Every structure is written in C-alpha cells, then in structure tokens.
Amino acid sequence: MSDTRHTKVLIIGSGPAGYTAGVYASRAMLEPLLVQGIEPGGQLTTTTEVENWPGDTEVQGPDLMVRMEAHARAMGCEVIGDIIASLELDKRPFVAHGDSGTTYTADAVILATGARAKWLGLPSEEKFKGFGVSACATCDGFFYRGQEIVVIGGGNTAVEEALFLTNFASKVTLIHRRDELRAEKILQNRLMKNPKIEPLWHHQLEEVYGTDSPLGVEGVKVKHVDTGEITDIPCKGVFVAIGHAPANELVKDVLETHMGGYVVTQPDSTATSIPGVFAAGDLTDHKYRQAVTSAGMGCMAALEAERWLAEQGEDAGKDTSEPLGYGVENPAAE
Ligand code: FAD
Ligand code: NAP
C-alpha cells in the first residue's frame, strides 16, 4: 500500500551518523523520521570488537548499534525499516520514494548513507561472490572452520578481518600490494604476533578459481607486482578488504562530490550545495571514516538543520512550484 509521510527532518541512514542525528533532531523537537536502509545499524554491524568508541573500552559493533537505535527511539525519533530508492531535491518539500511504496516529504534532509565495501572487479571474484568470496568476515568467517583463507588488503579492515578469521581458519594469508600496512600500529603488532597469519607482500589477486558444481573456491592465483610471477595459493575462502566507497547513489547527479564520490560539504559544516540538505558521516568523509567522527557529523547535521529550519520560518515547508535551481556546479569535480 502506498502512503505519504511528511516530516520536518528526514534522516536517511542508520549508522552512527544517522542515529546521532536522530537523537539531536528529536531533542530539538523536530520529530524526525529515520529510514534505516538495507543495513540497519550500518558498517559497525559487520565487525566484532570496537575499541575506540569513547566510554567503552571494548564493545561489540552490533551491540553498540542496537544501543544507538534504542537511544534515538527513546528521544522520540521514528525509525523506519525502508530503503530510499530515489530522492527529489530540486524543489521543496524534498521528496523521497521508499522501496516499501511510502513517499516521504521533508522540509530538510540529512543524508547519512555511509559507505560500502569495494571490490576488485575481477570476473572470477564476481563468479564466486557468496560462494567463497566475501567482504565481511563477521558475516561469513564461521563457514571456514579448519580451512585456509586469504585476505586481500592492508588497511584496518583487512588486518581486523585477518585477526578475526584466525578464530576459525587453520591459516590466514594476508595479501597486500605493498610491504607496508596502512592499518594502525596496535593492529599491525597483533597481526605480526599471530602464528596463524602469514603476510604475502607485493602481491595482487589475479584470479579466484574453484569448482562449478557445487560452486566453491579452491584457491587463488596471485601476481608479484614487480616481477609478474604468479603464485598459486590453495584456500577455501577469499575475503576482499580493500576499503569502502561512499554510498552516493541517491545524490551523485545532483550534489557536488569529490575525491572519488564523497559528497562535498561547506567548510566546518554539513551543509551541501542544496540549502536544507545536509550530509554527515562516511558519505562525506574521505579522511577519518570513524564511528566517532560520523556521530559527531550527525550531531552537526541535526543542529544545522534545526537552525536552517528556524531561519526559514513558515517558508521551510512551503511548496516551491519552480525548481530551486541549486545543485551541482561541477559534477565531475574530483
Ligand atoms: P554507515 O555505518 O556506513 O551506515 C550507513 C547507513 O546508511 C546504513 O544504515 C545503510 O543501511 C543506510 N543507507 C544506505 N543507503 C540507503 C538508502 N538508499 N536508503 C536508506 N538508508 C540507506 N570505526 C571505528 O571508529 N572503530 C572501529 O573499530 C571500526 N571498525 C570497523 C570495522 C569494519 C569491518 C568496517 C567496515 C568499518 C569500521 N569502522 C570503524 C568504520 C565505521 O564503521 C564507519 O566510519 C561508520 O560506520 C560510518 O558511519 P555512517 O553513519 O556514516 O555510515
Ligand atoms: P583503507 O584504509 O582505505 O585501506 C584499503 C587497503 O586496501 C589499503 O591497504 C590499500 O592498499 C588496499 N587496496 C585498495 N585498493 C586495492 C586494490 N585494487 N588492490 C589491492 N589492494 C587494494 O580501507 P579500510 O581498511 O576498509 O578502512 C576504511 C576506514 O575505516 C579507515 O578510515 C579505517 O581507519 C576505518 N576503520 C577503522 C577501524 C578501527 O578503528 N579499528 C577498523 C576498520 C576500519 P594501499 O595501502 O597500497 O593503498
């Protein structure tokens, strides 16, 4: 059944940025609606221990996100299980169409759609995705008890995934294209001390191979980045952990983006190139991409939305029959 819901503030996304915006917008009596998207709780639901969330020496990512959702709800934020399929930002009220059939109209919008795992783009990676190739150790690690596994990447995610996978795997090979890790030193130390993990430096994944019936991975071929020499590594699981790309699909054609698709916001602000549209968290942040910085930006977005709505007065919710004419000045800005 299709229906229409109007709100002063529509928050799109349920990671740390979205839920924090929900807490602040609720306390500002804006009665926000928050649409959770396909991954309620966001990226932290795909990890285990989080050790850098202030106030918790250690907390499980999924537990933290359950608490954040409860906090937003307790403050009065309405949390909705829906996915925004398209967004119209060229006139007010802004309009968002949900997969459920619900149309959301909003005086202000806070975009907090975060980021998604990147893939290498190999045909064999695509072929075995979900059948031995994964980008989420916490989701799929359990299936590889007693098996050999490879992890691709050299950042925090790759190292954390490799460490976590040692709970199940007999051996984890960390394949990195350089001989220096991007991961934090504390994680590097844990990696080097773990007898089940073997780093393989200066190598790139060339091909995943396996059986067709049933579909399953038997190993990978990796290439030395300098010599081109190919090495065969038998394994049952391949975890790709080469970073994340901003989830900008809803706005990439109407908002200015840079640095590979991150939404541009004004300096020291979450305001985008469209007045009344604010962006927070990993969607805008090519630099820090942390839970705490995302939460901080969610707070800023709600406070800025509140001030912007107050400045608009009665005009905030007024229908603008003509397109606003704001938006991308240089859509190709990189
Ligand atoms: P996200 O958490 O990415 O959430 C985005 C939300 O947007 C999701 O709820 C999604 O469903 C929603 N969404 C997307 N598209 C739509 C749509 N069309 N309609 C509606 N909703 C939509 N950071 C730390 O500080 N400490 C850590 O220990 C840590 N560990 C990590 C471990 C892993 C494996 C990963 C991947 C990341 C880790 N990070 C960590 C980074 C941290 O998770 C992110 O910085 C943070 O989650 C970003 O928050 P966010 O709110 O911007 O977006
Ligand atoms: P990242 O820091 O961007 O690291 C990506 C890694 O993948 C890099 O080592 C990179 O190699 C490699 N890579 C990228 N493209 C590749 C390709 N095509 N082929 C082979 N290797 C490739 O990404 P991330 O580790 O997912 O982290 C993302 C953000 O989340 C970071 O800000 C991180 O701090 C945060 N995070 C934090 C925690 C934590 O605080 N505990 C945990 C996880 C994530 P190069 O190094 O050669 O570029």
Side-chain angles (χ1 to χ4, degrees), residues 19-40:
Y19 284 142
T20 307
V23 168
Y24 276 79
S26 301
R27 284 172 52 80
M29 311 306 276
L30 295 174
E31 299 171 342
L33 297 185
L34 183 153
V35 178
Q36 288 182 304
I38 201 164
E39 192 175 58

Side-chain angles (χ1 to χ4, degrees), residues 12-18 35-44 46-47 49-52 82-84 112-116 157 160-161 244 247 250 280-283 289-292 294:
I12 305 177
S14 57
V35 178
Q36 288 182 304
I38 201 164
E39 192 175 58
Q43 291 171 67
L44 282 187
T46 69
T47 191
E49 292 89 8
V50 174
E51 295 178 348
N52 49 18
D82 199 357
I83 299 168
I84 301 301
T113 50
R116 291 201 195 103
T157 302
E160 283 193 342
E161 303 257 273
H244 289 76
L250 292 173
D282 278 13
L283 174 66
R289 291 171 297 179
Q290 299 293 301
V292 69
S294 297

Side-chain angles (χ1 to χ4, degrees), residues 156 262 281-282 284-294 297:
N156 274 341
Y262 292 89
D282 278 13
T284 71
D285 179 10
H286 58 90
K287 200 168 176 188
Y288 302 108
R289 291 171 297 179
Q290 299 293 301
V292 69
T293 45
S294 297
M297 283 186 261

Side-chain angles (χ1 to χ4, degrees), residues 294-310:
S294 297
M297 283 186 261
C299 155
M300 287 167 65
L303 294 177
E304 290 185 298
E306 180 195 5
R307 281 171 204 158
W308 182 82
L309 287 167

